Amino acid sequence: AQSVTQPDIHITVSEGASLELRCNYSYGATPYLFWYVQSPGQGLQLLLKYFSGDTLVQGIKGFEAEFKRSQSSFNLRKPSVHWSDAAEYVCAVGTGNQFYFGTGTSLTVIP
Amino acid sequence: DSGVTQTPKHLITATGQRVTLRCSPRSGDLSVYWYQQSLDQGLQFLIQYYNGEERAKGNILERFSAQQFPDLHSELNLSSLELGDSALYFCASSGPTGANVLTFGAGSRLTVL
């Protein structure tokens, strides 16, 4: 069965520091991969997506993610975190018309 | 604004009651998905409609039902509400063909007292 694992429930980083959020998936073929950001009281906003091709994808707000087939991973990165990046980050896998979501990683940014 | 509209944003009701949540998909999208997000839990898939027909069903309780109307808006009906039904309910829509991407609404927060 398809599944998405985000091993880190909560991460705290200092403003200006780099960030990497982990995401692992279980799926027999190459899935569509997504990262969403959810701010309090808001819906989920798409940060970036991977369908095929270049395994390093760029998204909005300075985020990028790298698909590693051998590790079944799609980790999200940002070189320098801003205080406004504090939010919940959710990784998702799409297979056909179905989508599977991780439980999210809550990011706290300290000044 | 994502283009997906959900109403109401907040709803407080009592156990045993029935509520209806409404979703208007993004213009041109034919699929509507409903998800439940409880405290400290990930998104739980409830049900999907495509152009008015039920396409897939997830962990939706029998007390819950949904439909998609000819104008493509969708409603999620929750009945005999229990305390445990308190959650954020998200609607998302996706396009008609190809590699679909979900666009989410802002959610409806249901509190059952």
Side-chain angles (χ1 to χ4, degrees):
Chain A
Q2 295 84 355
S3 67
V4 180
T5 302
Q6 294 182 245
D8 303 306
I9 296 174
H10 187 252
I11 283 183
T12 299
V13 299
S14 298
E15 191 168 16
S18 63
L19 172 71
E20 181 167 22
L21 302 181
R22 296 182 291 166
C23 173
N24 293 94
Y25 66 90
S26 173
Y27 181 58
T30 300
Y32 304 135
L33 297 162
F34 309 88
W35 274 100
Y36 287 86
V37 60
Q38 182 180 12
S39 299
Q42 303 289 319
L44 281 77
Q45 180 185 19
L46 182 69
L47 280 177
L48 46 78
K49 61 184 183 289
Y50 173 79
F51 290 159
S52 65
D54 192 346
T55 56
L56 184 64
V57 293
Q58 302 297 319
I60 62 171
K61 305 186 181 188
F63 285 92
E64 66 178 27
E66 185 172 14
F67 168 55
K68 293 186 177 181
R69 185 190 307 274
S70 62
Q71 299 177 18
S72 296
S73 69
F74 189 57
N75 293 349
L76 182 71
R77 299 194 295 248
K78 186 170 185 177
S80 178
V81 171
H82 188 263
W83 64 266
S84 61
D85 293 325
E88 185 89 4
Y89 292 82
V90 182
C91 180
V93 163
T95 65
N97 282 323
Q98 291 308 306
F99 298 83
Y100 303 87
F101 292 85
T103 51
T105 297
S106 177
L107 174 65
T108 297
V109 181
I110 55 177
Chain B
D1 184 1
S2 68
V4 178
T5 303
Q6 288 189 249
T7 57
K9 292 192 185 313
H10 301 278
L11 191 55
I12 301 174
T13 189
T15 55
Q17 296 299 303
R18 170 189 170 96
V19 299
T20 297
L21 309 180
R22 181 188 170 102
C23 170
S24 294
R26 198 178 55 160
S27 178
D29 286 354
L30 300 180
S31 275
V32 169
Y33 298 72
W34 286 98
Y35 290 88
Q36 179 192 58
Q37 186 181 48
S38 300
L39 193 62
D40 295 331
Q41 291 192 19
L43 287 164
Q44 300 296 314
F45 170 62
L46 296 178
I47 198 163
Q48 178 206 358
Y49 281 84
Y50 177 82
N51 202 22
E53 295 191 1
E54 182 182 306
R55 174 65 65 91
K57 188 176 278 192
N59 299 322
I60 187 167
L61 300 172
E62 285 192 10
R63 300 183 286 108
F64 296 0
S65 65
Q67 56 184 325
Q68 186 179 28
F69 296 86
D71 66 353
L72 300 178
H73 92 271
S74 178
E75 292 181 358
L76 179 66
N77 300 296
L78 315 175
S79 62
S80 302
L81 286 168
E82 302 175 359
L83 296 178
D85 297 327
S86 296
L88 260 173
Y89 290 86
F90 285 108
C91 167
S93 69
S94 70
T97 60
N100 289 329
V101 177
L102 288 181
T103 301
F104 282 84
S108 292
R109 180 172 292 282
L110 173 65
T111 302
V112 182
L113 300 176

